[in-house]
Amino acid sequence: MATAAPPASTHWRAAWLMLGSTVLFGMMAVVIRLASASLHTFEIAFFRNFFGLAVALPLLLRHRPGLLRTSQFPRYLFRCMIGIASMLAGFWAIGHLPLAQAVSLSYSTPLFVTIAAAALLGEQVRARRWIAVALGFAGVLLIVRPGSTDFSMGTLVALLAALLSSIVAIQIKQLSATEPADRIVLWTTLLWVPMSLVPALGVWTWPQGITWLWVVAAGLFGTGGHMLWTRALKLGEVSALTPISFMQLPIVGAMGWLLFDETFDRWNLAGALVILGANAYIAHREATLARRAASGAASSAAKPGE
């Protein structure tokens, strides 16, 4: 018997949750940039994690300390080490590149995830998705433009953040097969605080004045965005929700223009559109294949007379 489709209200709720997460992630990028005027981005990463932990700790009240019981601690440790390296590189890019350019390059993460899934998980990636990946990297080249006068080594740092983020995504996919989502969130946040403190101590200066507001907001926006994002994906399909996440780009582009007098040139815009289009197609294909696999499994499980 076919499974009933989710009601329209569920789709709308998922869409609003994804839009909320997109706004929060965009605002996190803005406050990181504001804080970077007086603080090193390594310190901002620490405060983002420290104040983000305050948002995540209520999970312990809901599930009790037993939530932390796991046999996968070495995997959490590895995942968080890679995640911190990605965060430090990504925050550095936000602090030193035009906001829209840094965010555009962060959208290359799904391209790297497709490659990593094939290399590390043995997932079968067919020709159409490989073509989408290739087109996505063509968009990256439009933004980076190696050899041109506009080329900056900072763009390579942004790409490093995206590459490391793709490895984190693979680790989360493996962990989520046996670990509940709230345990992953809590262990990640708990480990990120001391891990991000180590590099922050090397450049430490105490925040002054309004900078405290920016670093607290980074923690609230970042953790809040992740919570809304995970709930949106639980309710809706990735292929339908991914285009909504692209709204982060006009948000940070507008804020970069208003607050930092930044412009988003035609090369960055063209590259961003190519990357976003490639990501939308990859998300659509993955959702289609997942539905086919689920339908095939349901058909094989349904036996006559049962």
Side-chain angles (χ1 to χ4, degrees), residues 44-60:
I44 300 170
F46 165 72
F47 283 115
R48 177 260 181 269
N49 293 322
F50 180 80
F51 291 111
L53 179 60
V55 178
L57 278 179
L59 294 175
L60 272 181

Side-chain angles (χ1 to χ4, degrees), residues 61-253:
L61 298 177
R62 182 190 307 171
H63 300 286
R64 305 296 183 185
L67 176 66
L68 295 174
R69 193 175 298 115
T70 180
S71 61
Q72 301 293 324
F73 184 75
R75 182 168 286 179
Y76 277 109
L77 198 60
F78 176 74
R79 170 255 188 277
C80 289
M81 290 174 65
I82 300 297
I84 277 297
S86 175
M87 180 182 291
L88 294 177
F91 278 34
W92 188 94
I94 290 172
H96 293 82
L97 294 176
L99 272 178
Q101 186 180 54
V103 170
S104 297
L105 291 173
S106 75
Y107 281 125
S108 63
T109 294
L111 309 178
F112 287 115
V113 168
T114 302
I115 297 172
L120 302 178
L121 301 181
E123 288 189 6
Q124 187 176 23
V125 179
R126 299 189 183 278
R128 281 183 285 182
R129 275 199 287 169
W130 282 125
I131 292 172
V133 169
L135 289 174
F137 280 115
V140 170
L141 288 176
L142 286 174
I143 297 174
V144 175
R145 279 168 288 164
S148 74
T149 55
D150 294 320
F151 173 72
S152 164
M153 290 298 293
T155 58
L156 299 184
V157 176
L159 287 176
L160 175 62
L163 171 61
L164 295 175
S165 183
S166 72
I167 299 175
V168 170
I170 295 297
Q171 290 291 314
I172 291 176
K173 184 171 184 177
Q174 292 175 324
L175 277 170
S176 62
T178 58
E179 301 286 280
D182 284 350
R183 182 183 296 159
I184 294 174
V185 169
L186 195 53
W187 264 120
T188 297
T189 311
L190 284 169
L191 290 171
W192 272 357
V193 172
M195 286 182 178
S196 57
L197 177 61
V198 174
L201 289 175
V203 293
W204 191 268
T205 57
W206 284 102
Q208 301 294 324
I210 199 171
T211 304
W212 277 111
L213 175 62
W214 306 144
V215 295
V216 171
L220 298 179
F221 290 152
T223 302
H226 275 109
M227 288 181 172
L228 294 182
W229 179 73
T230 55
R231 282 156 178 75
L233 293 182
K234 184 176 181 179
L235 291 174
E237 293 186 352
V238 174
S239 58
L241 296 175
T242 295
I244 299 175
S245 69
F246 300 159
M247 285 300 298
Q248 184 181 355
L249 190 56
I251 290 173
V252 298

